[in-house]
Amino acid sequence: MKMKKYIASSMAAAMKKVQVDLGDDAIIASSKVVYSKGFLGMFKKKSYEVVAGIERKNQKETMISPRTIQQPIIIESETTEKQTETIKKELADLKTMMESMKRRSASVQYPDELADIIEKLEQQEINHELITQIGDGLFTVVKNSKNDLSQNELQELAKKHILSILRELPFGGISYDKKYINVLGPTGVGKTTTIAKMAARAVLQEKKKIGFITTDTYRIAAIEQLKTYANLLQAPVEIVYSRDDYEKALRKFEHLDLIFIDTAGRNYKEAKYIKDLQQLIDVEKNVENYLVLSLTAKERDMATIIEQFLAFPVKKLIFTKLDETNTIGSMINLMVKYKKGLAYYTNGQEVPEDIEEASMKNMIDLLFQGDNI
């Protein structure tokens, strides 16, 4: 087996070079990050080095063996229990990347000028299926373009492609077509504070007369927090323990324009809490339902919560704690997967300031801001 070294600005770009040169049967012998010397020892440039080879028919014994490479050999069939966790993780990442590339047509290879865009999407934790969809669309444009495209032009094309993926999803906050605003979500996502921000906007900007209903009778602190916000907005609060209490509260608030319902924050991975909620409140009649999720949570955990609430007519999500993360890829992944729109995202604790009504444009701009989110 002859080995060859590939160096590129990103691991994805290096792997593409391997596939173009050696094909899908290439074997990865090693990979590592390398740094070139910069001016006066500063401003070092990071690159990715991959050593790969391919079995040749009738190869002679004198050919270089992977075992002559001093870097650790990362071939799944030869791994042992003594491998470090770092090598195992590297192997898993490389396998995922190779599988993603194999799903594409062999005739479609991304040119080097797309490497920065693809790497940006990976850093934002956009899933491989969406990255492939976006990359294929950009490749088609680049291939058919008579002129070289700048990175800014490519980025704008990437934004337009993402817009086309999201175009069927609803964006924007409260419509004011419904009287009841039902806010759902697990514990710890900042649901009560988010409700206060939404309610404050309804009062201060839309001049609505509002009230609050809370079913969160499990946490005294949550009730007191909601009462504090209600007092500031001069709005009444009703605490409900049963369906009868809920119906009475609705009748009591008939004269108001808008009613915000703060549901109990529970571990909604457990289906029994979903059933309890369905029995307690009406989520269908004259109601807008929103599901609140935290961007600091694992995407898989957020997906579990969404799936538990699929029986509820939730059209739009709300994501909190944007200020505590540098990536928003999970937000886009979940919206596309479950066909849910976006109402708001929050970026701090200040009421009512730290909340933004969502639009496709501002969300995609956030995606490409990266560390500046």
Side-chain angles (χ1 to χ4, degrees), residues 18 41 68 70 136-137 164 169 265 298 308:
V18 171
T68 64
Q70 295 183 359
D136 288 352
S164 70
L169 302 179
K298 295 177 181 177
Q308 289 285 60

Side-chain angles (χ1 to χ4, degrees), residues 17-28:
K17 288 184 177 181
V18 171
Q19 192 185 36
V20 170
D21 197 14
L22 303 179
D24 290 342
D25 294 328
I27 296 176
I28 307 302

Side-chain angles (χ1 to χ4, degrees), residues 184-189 191 215-216 218-219 263-277 291-293 297-298 300-309 312:
L184 308 156
T187 185
V189 297
K191 184 160 52 64
T215 70
D216 196 351
Y218 305 95
R219 298 181 303 139
T263 56
R266 304 298 296 271
N267 179 9
Y268 287 116
K269 292 179 184 178
E270 298 186 34
K272 65 178 182 178
Y273 295 128
I274 299 290
K275 292 180 181 178
D276 291 344
L277 192 56
L291 179 58
V292 183
L293 300 166
K298 295 177 181 177
R300 183 168 56 185
D301 292 339
M302 288 191 281
T304 300
I305 298 300
I306 293 174
E307 288 171 5
Q308 289 285 60
F309 279 98
F312 288 70

Side-chain angles (χ1 to χ4, degrees), residues 120-126 134 155 158-159 162 166 326-332 360-371 373:
K120 182 70 172 179
L121 297 174
E122 289 174 342
Q123 289 172 347
Q124 282 292 310
E125 300 179 1
I126 295 292
I134 296 163
Q155 182 169 294
K159 288 181 178 181
I162 298 170
L166 300 172
N326 288 324
T327 62
I328 64 167
S330 58
M331 180 163 69
I332 295 174
M360 279 192 284
K361 183 181 182 305
N362 62 29
M363 188 186 71
I364 292 172
D365 286 343
L366 278 175
L367 179 68
F368 285 91
Q369 284 178 25
D371 293 339
I373 288 178

